[in-house]
Amino acid sequence: MTLPPDSYDPPHQANETKIEQEKQLTLVFDASVLQYQSHIPSQFIWPDHERPCLDSPELVTPPIDLGSFLDGDLSAVSEASQLVNEACRKDGFFLVVNHGVDSQLVAKAHEHMDLFFGMKLSEKQRAQRKIGDSFGYSSSFTGRFSSKLPWKETLSFRYLADEHRSCSNIVEEYFSNVMGEDFREFGKVYQEYCKAMNTLSLMILELLGVSLGVDRGYFREFFQGNDSIMRLNYYPPCQNPDLTFGTGPHCDPTSLTILHQDQVGGFQVWVDGSWRSINPDPQAFVVNIGDTFMALSNCKFKSCLHRAVVNKKTARKSLAFFLSPNMQKVVKPPEILVDPENPRKFPDFTWPSFLEFTQKDYRADMKTLENFKTWLEQKKDY
Ligand SMILES: C=C1C[C@]23C[C@H]1CC[C@H]2[C@]1(C)CCC[C@@](C)(C(=O)O)[C@H]1[C@@H]3C(=O)O
Ligand SMILES: O=C(O)CCC(=O)C(=O)O
Ligand SMILES: [Fe+2]
């Protein structure tokens, strides 16, 4: 069994987003070169007591059937909301099936990842993510962190829900601008995928609202015009998968994450004091509660602690849609979730300030929200 997260919680100053420490790096993460080395570079080696368990026991968790929720069958709504309530209070995640997302669209989104990540490093770097930005291509985070590097490449982009239809092709435009006209079709695939994720998120928000005893439409309304992040995660095979992570243990700072992993496997969640594997199911999405939703629920729901491991033989892919509020929205729980026995757990904040904290001040881990709270309170004192 792995040590519980608190026992390897790094002291605040050891959390490495401090910009000073990020400058010295020259390491290049190019899987087509690194695969010929017998060992992974030291920057990817995690300390002894934080290493992964590659064969964590599987957690079998019955998925929530959204089909009957959508049909409006009252007993199905009540059953689904009860299951979601239990899951979110305890571990902060659940699986959904019959979600209405076209399986061919999901397959296309996975296939197009191969097209992008299969290109030469210099080609991918046309979309290079700059330090402090949250969008673009990043080969590991070699320019950003200096230790405990993740064995992954990511491509992240913005999705703004088109309330007024003025930005209905933001993803398509992003790719044609950054990568050239040849990437317009590529952009269209992810535009469509993000649209499907937005629709699914709004439906899940209704379910979360019902399960918290808030109006069904409350969170759907709150996330109108959401300013979300779509991320393609690509994990090349790794010669020492027992020494590193694809993505280290963390809670997502965002509101909800809708994750689809390919058939390779590697996603793990922290449940009842140990790490458990969630085996891939092509029909299912994993829904994780993120820190921002935890704050919105006044901590009734828990942010899900999770991580991803890599393996020796097969590249692994996952698609993550990080639902985030519109930049103008103030994150605070609805009144019904606050009373003298349940006082406010977090001060008001806006998503851009929290996002900036994770991009400039703090490397997101399992304590991001708590440290953000301390940071906000310190700022107030000045
Ligand atoms: C706002 C974000 C920061 C991260 C990407 C999105 C949502 C999740 C965050 C992240 C995945 C948490 C683990 C660490 C991180 C650095 C990563 O491994 O990718 C985080 C992302 C980031 O800061 O880029
Ligand atoms: O790839 C995975 O399975 C998980 C990725 C993840 O946690 C993330 O991108 O935030
Ligand atoms: Fe995550």
Side-chain angles (χ1 to χ4, degrees):
M1 190 181 104
T2 322
L3 288 171
D6 278 346
S7 62
Y8 57 77
D9 183 25
H12 184 62
Q13 63 272 32
N15 182 299
E16 252 201 291
T17 311
K18 298 273 163 272
I19 317 291
E20 285 69 43
Q21 291 162 333
E22 292 165 9
K23 290 180 192 147
Q24 321 131 4
L25 289 157
T26 47
L27 178 75
V28 176
F29 181 73
D30 185 349
S32 67
V33 174
L34 288 179
Q35 64 177 317
Y36 298 107
Q37 299 180 0
S38 56
H39 291 288
I40 60 175
S42 61
Q43 291 92 328
F44 290 89
I45 302 181
W46 286 57
D48 275 357
H49 59 289
E50 295 184 41
R51 302 232 173 115
C53 169
L54 299 179
D55 53 1
S56 295
E58 181 190 355
L59 179 73
V60 183
T61 162
I64 312 278
D65 185 338
L66 286 183
S68 32
F69 178 76
L70 279 175
D71 291 345
D73 166 351
L74 283 185
S75 69
V77 172
S78 137
E79 196 194 330
S81 69
Q82 205 170 324
L83 289 173
V84 163
N85 189 284
E86 280 161 29
C88 295
R89 281 178 192 267
K90 187 172 165 290
D91 306 311
F93 83 97
F94 54 94
L95 268 57
V96 292
V97 291
N98 281 326
H99 36 65
V101 181
D102 179 2
S103 59
Q104 287 189 12
L105 175 61
V106 179
K108 235 196 306 179
H110 277 287
E111 281 158 25
H112 279 68
M113 279 181 75
D114 289 322
L115 278 177
F116 183 87
F117 292 102
M119 294 192 304
K120 286 203 304 232
L121 182 62
S122 57
E123 293 286 308
K124 293 181 272 197
Q125 282 173 333
R126 276 153 58 198
Q128 185 63 46
R129 177 175 170 186
K130 305 207 175 53
I131 292 185
D133 276 4
S134 33
F135 306 117
Y137 168 73
S138 172
S139 58
S140 185
F141 293 126
T142 52
R144 192 169 161 209
F145 308 128
S146 54
S147 64
K148 300 204 282 183
L149 290 179
W151 194 265
K152 70 173 169 189
E153 297 171 59
T154 58
L155 178 59
S156 314
F157 41 93
R158 182 178 185 201
Y159 177 75
L160 187 56
D162 58 321
E163 213 182 345
H164 306 298
R165 305 208 137 263
S166 54
C167 47
S168 56
N169 57 357
I170 184 171
V171 179
E172 182 186 332
E173 287 300 319
Y174 172 76
F175 280 105
S176 56
N177 285 340
V178 175
M179 296 297 292
E181 262 317 296
D182 289 354
F183 271 76
R184 189 169 282 281
E185 278 310 307
F186 181 93
K188 276 188 183 160
V189 170
Y190 292 107
Q191 181 76 49
E192 208 189 326
Y193 187 84
C194 288
K195 196 169 162 222
M197 289 302 105
N198 179 49
T199 305
L200 177 58
S201 306
L202 298 178
M203 189 197 308
I204 291 170
L205 286 167
E206 288 192 2
L207 189 52
L208 293 171
V210 176
S211 55
L212 281 166
V214 172
D215 266 3
R216 187 168 172 158
Y218 183 89
F219 291 117
R220 171 186 270 274
E221 170 60 31
F222 184 84
F223 283 92
Q224 286 298 326
N226 63 80
D227 203 334
S228 299
I229 302 172
M230 178 71 212
R231 170 176 279 202
L232 315 180
N233 288 310
Y234 185 82
Y235 304 95
C238 174
Q239 50 277 60
N240 302 114
D242 48 337
L243 302 181
T244 193
F245 280 104
T247 301
H250 68 283
C251 297
D252 295 333
T254 37
S255 300
L256 294 184
T257 305
I258 306 196
L259 182 85
H260 193 275
Q261 53 170 338
D262 70 6
Q263 281 302 93
V264 176
F267 181 68
Q268 300 182 349
V269 286
W270 180 258
V271 170
D272 295 332
S274 65
W275 289 103
R276 307 288 298 270
S277 299
I278 303 294
N279 284 359
D281 173 352
Q283 313 301 328
F285 287 98
V286 182
V287 181
N288 286 341
I289 299 292
D291 291 339
T292 299
F293 201 86
M294 179 167 163
L296 272 174
S297 74
N298 204 21
C299 288
K300 296 234 175 326
F301 286 175
K302 221 166 117 181
S303 189
C304 172
L305 177 56
H306 58 285
R307 64 187 194 182
V309 299
V310 287
N311 73 83
K312 268 194 175 157
K313 289 206 183 111
T314 325
R316 172 172 181 266
K317 289 174 286 179
S318 71
L319 299 153
F321 180 77
F322 299 109
L323 180 78
S324 314
N326 185 277
M327 304 279 182
Q328 318 296 329
K329 290 275 181 186
V330 176
V331 176
K332 62 170 173 205
E335 278 170 18
I336 197 169
L337 300 179
V338 184
D339 58 47
E341 267 123 70
N342 300 284
R344 286 282 301 272
K345 306 287 189 302
F346 292 99
D348 289 2
F349 65 89
T350 59
W351 168 240
S353 61
F354 194 21
L355 177 62
E356 188 177 348
F357 180 68
T358 68
Q359 300 307 303
K360 299 201 174 138
D361 290 278
Y362 191 83
R363 178 175 182 173
D365 60 12
M366 60 276 270
K367 290 275 185 320
T368 318
L369 187 56
E370 254 172 62
N371 285 311
F372 177 57
K373 183 182 176 187
T374 312
W375 184 82
L376 277 177
E377 284 163 354
Q378 278 164 359
K379 254 189 19 174
K380 218 173 57 189
D381 295 340
Y382 282 105

